Amino acid sequence: GDLSVELPIYRGEGDLRRLSQNFNHMTRQLERQRSDLVNANSQLNERRRVMEAVLAGVSAGVLGLDPDGRITFANKSAETLLGRTGDTFVGKTLTDAVPEFGAVLDPSSDGVRRKPQGEIGIEVNGIERTFAVRHTREVQGEEDFGSVLTFDDVTDLVSAQRTSAWADIARRIAHEIKNPLTPIQLSAERLQHKL
């Protein structure tokens, strides 16, 4: 494993000279390749740590999927939002782990292309929650690298939209009720004034 060893170059034109030159060239080349691999590996580890730190700070749930739809990664927010631990996700297919999310998978097993995003209702710890879900697949040419599923709890937003819609409907109904009463009230006031 010591690639810093160098053989002395023999004088002359013999096989030993060529052997020692080739050996020295080979060890330098191996040392260079080993150094490049160590550097590449440290860069990959650093990128992985940064990516994990970023995903840990994201409030949305993130699930990493391999090309077969098997979950390879689940961030802490995914565990919290779905009320489960990462052990219940990693290694399982998405349709087995969270069957409700299977509806947004891009290419399905039946060959039908599905919508890559949508709102899905799931019961979490006995409470119905609504999640905005988005599925993104990473494909370059013929090679499929897998995909990422992101989701966020929008239950409060949906509830606020419903409340706003009902308030608007109530306002319009009140306006419609009040509208015909105004001419009746004016006519009654006129009659009262004349009589």
Short mmCIF file of all heavy atoms in Angstrom, two decimals, residues 16 33 49 82 89 95 120 136 146:
data_model
loop_
_atom_site.label_atom_id
_atom_site.label_comp_id
_atom_site.label_asym_id
_atom_site.label_seq_id
_atom_site.Cartn_x
_atom_site.Cartn_y
_atom_site.Cartn_z
N LEU A 16 15.67 -4.90 -16.86
CA LEU A 16 15.55 -4.36 -15.51
C LEU A 16 15.33 -2.85 -15.53
O LEU A 16 14.58 -2.32 -14.71
CB LEU A 16 16.80 -4.70 -14.69
CG LEU A 16 16.85 -6.12 -14.13
CD1 LEU A 16 18.16 -6.36 -13.40
CD2 LEU A 16 15.67 -6.37 -13.21
N GLN A 33 -4.11 8.58 -8.89
CA GLN A 33 -5.50 8.10 -8.95
C GLN A 33 -6.08 7.94 -7.55
O GLN A 33 -7.24 8.31 -7.32
CB GLN A 33 -5.58 6.78 -9.71
CG GLN A 33 -5.34 6.93 -11.19
CD GLN A 33 -5.27 5.58 -11.91
OE1 GLN A 33 -5.19 4.53 -11.28
NE2 GLN A 33 -5.29 5.63 -13.23
N ARG A 49 -23.36 15.91 3.37
CA ARG A 49 -23.61 16.57 4.66
C ARG A 49 -24.38 17.87 4.46
O ARG A 49 -25.31 18.18 5.21
CB ARG A 49 -22.30 16.82 5.39
CG ARG A 49 -21.75 15.60 6.09
CD ARG A 49 -20.64 15.96 7.07
NE ARG A 49 -19.46 16.51 6.41
CZ ARG A 49 -18.47 15.77 5.91
NH1 ARG A 49 -18.52 14.47 6.00
NH2 ARG A 49 -17.44 16.34 5.34
N LEU A 82 -46.21 13.01 8.68
CA LEU A 82 -46.99 11.79 8.52
C LEU A 82 -47.14 11.02 9.84
O LEU A 82 -47.84 10.00 9.88
CB LEU A 82 -46.36 10.89 7.46
CG LEU A 82 -46.39 11.47 6.04
CD1 LEU A 82 -45.62 10.58 5.08
CD2 LEU A 82 -47.83 11.64 5.56
N PHE A 89 -40.63 3.96 6.35
CA PHE A 89 -40.55 4.40 4.95
C PHE A 89 -39.44 3.71 4.18
O PHE A 89 -39.67 3.11 3.15
CB PHE A 89 -40.28 5.91 4.86
CG PHE A 89 -41.31 6.79 5.48
CD1 PHE A 89 -40.97 7.69 6.47
CD2 PHE A 89 -42.62 6.72 5.06
CE1 PHE A 89 -41.93 8.50 7.03
CE2 PHE A 89 -43.59 7.54 5.63
CZ PHE A 89 -43.24 8.42 6.60
N THR A 95 -45.99 3.17 -2.70
CA THR A 95 -47.38 2.72 -2.63
C THR A 95 -47.62 1.82 -1.42
O THR A 95 -48.76 1.75 -0.94
CB THR A 95 -47.79 1.99 -3.92
OG1 THR A 95 -46.84 0.97 -4.20
CG2 THR A 95 -47.86 2.95 -5.09
N ILE A 120 -53.81 15.80 -1.48
CA ILE A 120 -54.20 14.47 -1.05
C ILE A 120 -54.54 14.51 0.43
O ILE A 120 -53.79 15.09 1.23
CB ILE A 120 -53.06 13.46 -1.32
CG1 ILE A 120 -52.84 13.36 -2.82
CG2 ILE A 120 -53.38 12.11 -0.72
CD1 ILE A 120 -51.67 12.53 -3.22
N THR A 136 -41.20 14.76 -8.68
CA THR A 136 -40.26 15.16 -9.73
C THR A 136 -39.34 14.00 -10.02
O THR A 136 -38.68 13.48 -9.13
CB THR A 136 -39.43 16.38 -9.26
OG1 THR A 136 -40.30 17.40 -8.82
CG2 THR A 136 -38.56 16.89 -10.38
N GLY A 146 -34.11 8.07 -10.54
CA GLY A 146 -35.07 8.05 -9.44
C GLY A 146 -35.86 9.33 -9.41
O GLY A 146 -35.95 10.05 -10.40
#
